[in-house]
Amino acid sequence: MKNGNKYGTHRVMEPAGTLPQPALRLDNTMDIYDNEILIDVQTLNIDSASYAQIRSACGGDAARMEEMILRVVAERGKMQNPVTGSGGMLIGTVRAIGTRHPDKQLKVGEKIATLVSLSLTPLRIDRITRLRPESDQVDVVGQAILFESGIYAVLPPDLPERLSLALLDVAGAPAQVARLVKRGDTVCIIGGGGKSGILCCYQAMKQVGESGRVIVVEHSAEGARRVEEMGLATHVIVADATRALEVYERVTAITGEQGCDVTINNVNVPSTEMASILVTREGGCVYFFSMATSFSKAALGAEGVGKDVNLLMGNGYAAGHAALTLEIVRESASIRDLFERQYCAS
Ligand code: NAP
């Protein structure tokens, strides 16, 4: 076996000298290096911002979406959406482990979920076996490579695989809520009715306690009703988060001019940065988990309105994030039931 670099730079084809995530093209041949893990892929969970972009570009047509995904992977050697730059993650079975891979616990034949982005994971797709425009979980026959530095989770035996896949895709979000939100805080969750939004709401309600507030801004009336019925917020607003002033007015009608201590952005569409910034108090914090976030819109937009807020980028990884997120569905029967209906129905 050939010697591989810890971070996978040996797979970068262009431009030379970059790491695999920003690279334009990776070597996706499946002869493994001595520090890699080879995976037989079962299902991709394409990142929601990427999937929404693909669905919109293909007019919601499943055959065109399949074509587009296959084209991206053929061109780039990884599933990195050229428009959003984002990826997703996958589940599959360990096929082989390089002799120099440091993890001696993992066994060939175990089912794992990768916890690093598809935007840096060498991937080959032989064929797509199931794609539904309404679900970002795409079944494939193919193989992928995990580098030495690539983290993963062995799929837990007590949860359906598709449920674990859905949860682990967004595990960084509720884990950051656990770090950022304190007792008594006022928290705004934008896109609170989606997958990561619901997990963040649950975690935020737990953190703020009786004296705090969790305000959800959700696009669809149905999503808003669900959040309300599940008791995942103290206040729910139906609004379009791209309409910053409208959201600001509706949220400040609840909080007063003071605004929110922490705002979490979980949407999957562009141009919601300013709604997030305007509703946050001076010195407060905005956590942009959304992959549709624009750094320049957020940074220059905050400056433009003279708002001294802490802007946090949504690092998908936080220590302990997988365990914390899987625990949420063990604690909450209603969230488990909702996600099983959304992700596990055949
Ligand atoms: P999701 O389940 O599709 O949820 C997206 C939510 O945003 C939905 O509730 C949707 O509402 C809402 N939304 C869409 N447009 C809106 C608007 N104009 N105003 C208000 N709400 C709006 O997505 P997810 O899987 O939770 O992912 C959320 C975001 O996190 C995505 O951008 C995804 O790419 C990103 N992500 C980031 C990381 C990371 O490492 N940072 C990892 C995974 C995913 P409706 O359904 O009612 O339209």
Side-chain angles (χ1 to χ4, degrees):
M1 283 182 186
K2 290 173 285 184
N3 254 212
N5 169 272
K6 178 176 178 181
Y7 302 113
T9 52
H10 54 278
R11 292 266 179 186
V12 173
M13 299 185 77
E14 67 168 296
T18 60
L19 278 133
Q21 205 283 336
L24 288 175
R25 199 154 61 90
L26 298 181
D27 166 13
N28 65 348
T29 52
M30 293 296 156
D31 304 325
I32 65 166
Y33 285 67
D34 61 356
N35 61 345
E36 293 180 337
I37 297 170
L38 175 64
I39 303 164
D40 286 331
V41 183
Q42 177 181 323
T43 306
L44 306 175
N45 192 128
I46 296 186
D47 158 78
S48 176
S50 167
Y51 204 67
Q53 192 278 328
I54 293 169
R55 185 171 49 228
S56 155
C58 298
D61 180 75
R64 287 177 59 200
M65 292 173 73
E66 282 190 17
E67 238 173 73
M68 188 166 165
I69 290 169
L70 291 171
R71 192 171 58 243
V72 169
V73 175
E75 280 171 3
R76 313 195 84 171
K78 56 179 178 172
M79 183 52 223
Q80 182 176 34
N81 183 315
V83 177
T84 63
S86 58
M89 34 83 76
L90 61 84
I91 54 172
T93 306
V94 175
R95 177 66 175 265
I97 304 171
T99 49
R100 210 170 53 83
H101 195 281
D103 184 344
K104 301 299 175 202
Q105 308 293 318
L106 187 67
K107 304 271 177 302
V108 168
E110 280 191 289
K111 282 255 174 98
I112 61 171
T114 57
L115 296 177
V116 289
S117 176
L118 288 177
S119 66
L120 58 84
T121 303
L123 174 69
R124 194 197 70 228
I125 301 181
D126 299 326
R127 60 180 197 282
I128 293 177
T129 53
R130 181 169 99 150
L131 180 148
R132 291 176 302 154
E134 68 280 9
S135 166
D136 51 18
Q137 295 195 355
V138 178
D139 294 346
V140 302
V141 174
Q143 290 189 316
I145 295 285
L146 204 55
F147 303 130
E148 184 181 329
S149 57
I151 50 174
Y152 64 85
V154 174
L155 291 178
D158 63 323
L159 300 175
E161 289 172 1
R162 284 186 186 279
L163 176 61
S164 298
L165 175 64
L167 292 166
L168 293 171
D169 172 45
V170 294
Q176 286 295 345
V177 171
R179 286 184 186 177
L180 296 171
V181 175
K182 298 187 304 298
R183 203 154 200 81
D185 274 352
T186 295
V187 181
C188 183
I189 301 189
I190 302 194
K195 182 172 70 174
S196 60
I198 283 193
L199 296 167
C200 288
C201 287
Y202 179 83
Q203 194 62 40
M205 288 291 278
K206 206 169 166 177
Q207 306 282 134
V208 299
E210 300 271 295
S211 57
R213 288 182 289 205
V214 175
I215 302 166
V216 160
V217 176
E218 170 56 32
H219 198 216
S220 68
E222 190 198 336
R225 184 185 43 78
R226 211 166 39 215
V227 169
E228 232 157 23
E229 281 174 5
M230 290 168 78
L232 291 171
T234 55
H235 303 77
V236 181
I237 295 167
V238 179
D240 178 349
T242 63
R243 300 171 69 95
L245 273 180
E246 187 183 319
V247 171
Y248 168 72
E249 280 160 14
R250 305 267 311 269
V251 173
T252 45
I254 299 166
T255 62
E257 281 306 312
Q258 154 102 9
C260 302
D261 300 294
V262 179
T263 299
I264 312 285
N265 184 315
N266 297 96
V267 304
N268 59 351
V269 295
S271 299
T272 63
E273 294 82 358
M274 287 316 293
S276 312
I277 289 165
L278 287 179
V279 302
T280 308
R281 70 166 167 80
E282 287 292 315
C285 167
V286 186
Y287 177 64
F288 286 109
F289 188 67
S290 166
M291 280 291 161
T293 305
S294 151
F295 179 83
S296 52
K297 281 184 189 170
L300 301 176
E303 179 193 65
V305 294
K307 202 79 192 251
D308 184 355
V309 287
N310 298 307
L311 305 179
L312 283 186
M313 272 199 273
N315 182 351
Y317 174 65
H321 66 335
L324 179 140
T325 303
L326 293 173
E327 208 46 40
I328 291 178
V329 295
R330 296 191 181 107
E331 289 173 8
S332 168
S334 60
I335 296 181
R336 178 167 178 166
D337 178 57
L338 172 69
F339 285 178
E340 284 195 351
R341 279 187 278 118
Q342 286 180 336
Y343 299 101
C344 305
S346 51

